[in-house]
Amino acid sequence: MKPPEPLILAIESSCDDTSVAVLRGSVPLSNVISSQLVHNQFGGVVPEMASREHMRNIRKVAEQAIHEADISVSQLDAIAYTKGPGLPGSLMVGASFAKGLALSVGKPLISVNHMEAHVLSLLIGEKSPTFPFICLVVSGGHTLLVMVEEWNKMQILGTSTDDAVGEAFDKCAKLLGLGYPGGKFIDDQAKKGNPKAFPFPVAKTAPFCFSYSGVKTSFLYFLREKEPIWIEENLPDICASIQFALLKPLVDASNKALQEFGIGQLGIAGGVAANSSLRSQLSSLCEKMGANFYFPAFEYCTDNAAMIGRAACFKYQQGIFAELSEHTESRLAIGQS
Ligand code: KG4
Ligand code: ZN
């Protein structure tokens, strides 16, 4: 008889979202996310504030996740947490909470790589890819094209040499005076605009590599010459055009990877995977190439604990547990967890 699926409580605190989820195997029973609004006024995450906010929020987020899942902690089989990469202070709050809980209820601990968890968020839900597949991981901190051979075997095909694409979205939105994080604001405005209105340069890089510093600078110079009223009147076209330039390298690299590796499955993950234009462009690309396209539900794109629990489920099934003495690692890379 098949053993029952494990009941796992997972904690994510790598940046500015405090999240706790409860999963039965690969199925989330709850996924509570508390986003820290305190950073909005600064146009970016203030690390010291982030760890303080995590400390303030984590207990009530955990209580809510347990309540929504309708379980008691004594039923849990394991406690999972994000080991890295992320902000050191933020990671430490989640890890310490996880360790305290594991110790007090006598359950094993599982440490999870945040980037691997973004990839494995594609395996939550019914329409999931099978291994191997190609995954574009696009967030505020990372831009990676990854060959996913197994849940624990991922090879980076290429990455950004400077800013991450989400960071570039956020910086462009800041120049436009839109809110933080700005990716969603640009996405919303771009829906009403013409992507060919203003030709911003698209970086030419080595295959599967990305660079956003050039386009960002050109955007800054473009805006400097314009009157605020002109910018306001042309906001949809400006957003659609800068979004086109930010996304084109991602679409081109995905196209090349699908052709070169002959793998008929492409997935996207991370906060920027919520972008409507990226989804529709990659969906059309896959349709043209006869490949299957996968993307997580919106709540599993940006940072969330359900993806940590999904990754932890694989580790639980293999009996891979963490020691209480295990450290968090702010620079942990894919394949090093
Ligand atoms: O994965 P995530 O929540 O955090 C990191 O691990 O970085 O990603 C956050 C990033 C931010 O840069 C945000 O602007 C971007 O995801 N983002 C978007 C959209 N929604 C969130 N970027 C473009 N379009 C969106 N709709
Ligand atoms: Zn993330």
Side-chain angles (χ1 to χ4, degrees), residues 41-94:
Q41 59 189 300
F42 302 102
V45 178
V46 183
E48 295 260 309
M49 288 184 159
S51 29
R52 221 176 306 144
E53 287 296 298
H54 283 306
M55 279 196 279
R56 215 195 307 268
N57 293 334
I58 196 156
R59 189 190 162 113
K60 63 175 187 290
V61 172
E63 283 172 352
Q64 195 181 332
I66 290 165
H67 174 74
E68 285 182 18
D70 198 17
I71 57 134
S72 71
V73 283
S74 61
Q75 291 173 274
L76 290 168
D77 292 302
I79 316 290
Y81 69 95
T82 305
K83 175 184 168 119
L87 299 171
S90 293
L91 288 169
M92 216 169 323
V93 177

Side-chain angles (χ1 to χ4, degrees), residues 219-266:
F219 192 58
L220 172 71
Y221 290 161
F222 171 86
L223 292 178
R224 258 191 202 166
E225 293 162 4
K226 306 287 188 284
E227 293 294 331
I229 182 74
W230 184 91
I231 294 176
E232 202 178 313
E233 282 167 6
N234 291 279
L235 197 56
D237 282 349
I238 297 171
C239 287
S241 300
I242 191 64
Q243 176 171 278
F244 178 81
L246 295 174
L247 299 182
K248 185 155 191 329
L250 305 175
V251 178
D252 290 350
S254 305
N255 187 0
K256 191 170 164 48
L258 284 172
Q259 290 190 28
E260 201 163 311
F261 298 102
I263 290 177
Q265 298 188 103
L266 174 72

Side-chain angles (χ1 to χ4, degrees), residues 114 118 139-141 166 169-170 181-184 187 270-272 274-275 301-303:
H114 179 86
H118 268 304
S139 72
F169 263 101
D170 295 341
K184 191 178 172 338
D187 189 2
V272 183
N275 185 275
C301 285
T302 48
D303 289 344

Side-chain angles (χ1 to χ4, degrees), residues 6-312:
L7 190 65
I8 296 177
L9 180 138
I11 297 164
E12 155 62 28
S13 70
S14 64
C15 191
D16 59 340
D17 293 308
T18 315
S19 180
V20 180
V22 176
L23 289 87
R24 169 68 73 190
S26 61
V27 180
L29 305 180
S30 63
N31 182 39
V32 180
I33 304 171
S34 168
S35 297
Q36 303 176 358
L37 304 177
V38 63
H39 308 286
N40 296 13
Q41 59 189 300
F42 302 102
V45 178
V46 183
E48 295 260 309
M49 288 184 159
S51 29
R52 221 176 306 144
E53 287 296 298
H54 283 306
M55 279 196 279
R56 215 195 307 268
N57 293 334
I58 196 156
R59 189 190 162 113
K60 63 175 187 290
V61 172
E63 283 172 352
Q64 195 181 332
I66 290 165
H67 174 74
E68 285 182 18
D70 198 17
I71 57 134
S72 71
V73 283
S74 61
Q75 291 173 274
L76 290 168
D77 292 302
I79 316 290
Y81 69 95
T82 305
K83 175 184 168 119
L87 299 171
S90 293
L91 288 169
M92 216 169 323
V93 177
S96 307
F97 188 84
K99 288 174 184 181
L101 185 59
L103 202 57
S104 68
V105 293
K107 304 291 175 180
L109 263 180
I110 301 175
S111 67
V112 171
N113 179 313
H114 179 86
M115 299 313 297
E116 293 175 3
H118 268 304
V119 172
L120 298 172
S121 69
L122 285 161
L123 281 84
I124 299 174
E126 278 163 23
K127 192 177 175 254
S128 300
T130 51
F131 300 113
F133 62 93
I134 291 162
C135 187
L136 189 60
V137 189
V138 278
S139 72
H142 293 85
T143 310
L144 302 170
L145 192 64
V146 184
M147 169 72 75
V148 187
E149 290 170 43
E150 278 298 332
W151 71 270
N152 57 350
K153 199 162 172 227
M154 303 184 192
Q155 189 197 335
I156 297 177
L157 302 173
T159 182
S160 173
T161 49
D162 40 56
D163 284 0
V165 61
E167 196 178 353
F169 263 101
D170 295 341
K171 287 179 179 168
C172 290
K174 191 172 178 181
L175 292 173
L176 288 168
L178 302 173
Y180 174 84
K184 191 178 172 338
F185 295 108
I186 292 188
D187 189 2
D188 288 344
Q189 287 293 331
K191 285 177 191 155
K192 301 173 272 180
N194 171 12
K196 300 278 168 61
F198 308 109
F200 295 111
V202 174
K204 298 256 179 306
T205 52
F208 307 137
C209 286
F210 311 96
S211 167
Y212 287 105
S213 56
V215 60
K216 226 177 46 196
T217 309
S218 112
F219 192 58
L220 172 71
Y221 290 161
F222 171 86
L223 292 178
R224 258 191 202 166
E225 293 162 4
K226 306 287 188 284
E227 293 294 331
I229 182 74
W230 184 91
I231 294 176
E232 202 178 313
E233 282 167 6
N234 291 279
L235 197 56
D237 282 349
I238 297 171
C239 287
S241 300
I242 191 64
Q243 176 171 278
F244 178 81
L246 295 174
L247 299 182
K248 185 155 191 329
L250 305 175
V251 178
D252 290 350
S254 305
N255 187 0
K256 191 170 164 48
L258 284 172
Q259 290 190 28
E260 201 163 311
F261 298 102
I263 290 177
Q265 298 188 103
L266 174 72
I268 47 170
V272 183
N275 185 275
S276 55
S277 176
L278 182 61
R279 286 179 179 219
S280 75
Q281 289 189 62
L282 291 179
S283 167
S284 306
L285 171 72
C286 286
E287 204 179 313
K288 207 170 73 198
M289 302 201 43
N292 290 324
F293 178 53
Y294 301 91
F295 48 86
F298 281 108
E299 67 172 309
Y300 307 132
C301 285
T302 48
D303 289 344
N304 68 90
M307 68 181 192
I308 303 299
R310 180 65 191 94

